[in-house]
Amino acid sequence: MERVRAHVPRPGSARPRGRHARPRRWLDRRRRRGDRVLGARPRLQPRHRARCLHGARARQSRAAHAADLPAHGARTLDARGHRDARQVTIAPPLPQRTPESAPFWDGCAQEELRLQRCASGHWWFPPGRQCPECWSADWRWERASGRGTVFSFVVFQRSYHPAFREALPYAVAVIALAEGPRFLSRVVEIAPDQVRVGMPVAVTFEDVAGTKLPLFRRA
Ligand SMILES: [Zn+2]
């Protein structure tokens, strides 16, 4: 196989090659002349791309730092047209529809918990193209009971996303659905310290930015 050289000649003049080549004086000369330097590319990544955000925030106003500004979200303006960090609204992360999961989210929109079920009666979740039990491709979406029990849970005491800060503390649980599959969700309408393993729960739907999310409450 022919070896392909990594070096791509740039137009204009002779170019140094390799990392130990002489300094690129041709580039300095052309920059001094004010030429637009063809082929000179800016660095692809900033030098400190992984720096902790809090350092950058500290250099901003104290209020902005306190608000723990997210990377995105609609910002509101105060009467003088200044950004008011205290009124930042943060878009929560929402599920991504895929061809496999679209029927599930369509069911949620109608406040139905739908799962796939094969001709042999196996239910499963998350969505897939074949039954994970018998590999059957003969299946369909069916409405599940929406009932189950708390199999395991954790209580979040700190926010890992600004959109969830107001909800703290909250319980995230693995729900053992009555049909068999396990389902990761939040347990709501109950103090997190009241959640217990084995507690019967039922699905409830919460509209978050136009998407209905299946959550669970004590049954
Ligand atoms: Zn099956």
Side-chain angles (χ1 to χ4, degrees), residues 16 20-26 28:
H20 301 298
R22 64 189 166 77
R24 296 204 286 181
R25 290 190 208 98
W26 62 274
D28 296 336

Side-chain angles (χ1 to χ4, degrees), residues 80-97:
R80 290 173 297 174
H82 295 146
R83 266 201 332 234
D84 185 347
R86 289 165 300 181
Q87 294 178 27
V88 169
T89 56
I90 300 121
L94 289 171
Q96 304 289 312
R97 284 170 72 97

Side-chain angles (χ1 to χ4, degrees), residues 105-118:
W105 296 112
D106 290 342
C108 290
Q110 297 176 42
E111 305 212 339
E112 286 186 6
L113 190 70
R114 294 179 188 165
L115 301 176
Q116 287 163 288
R117 187 186 193 190
C118 77

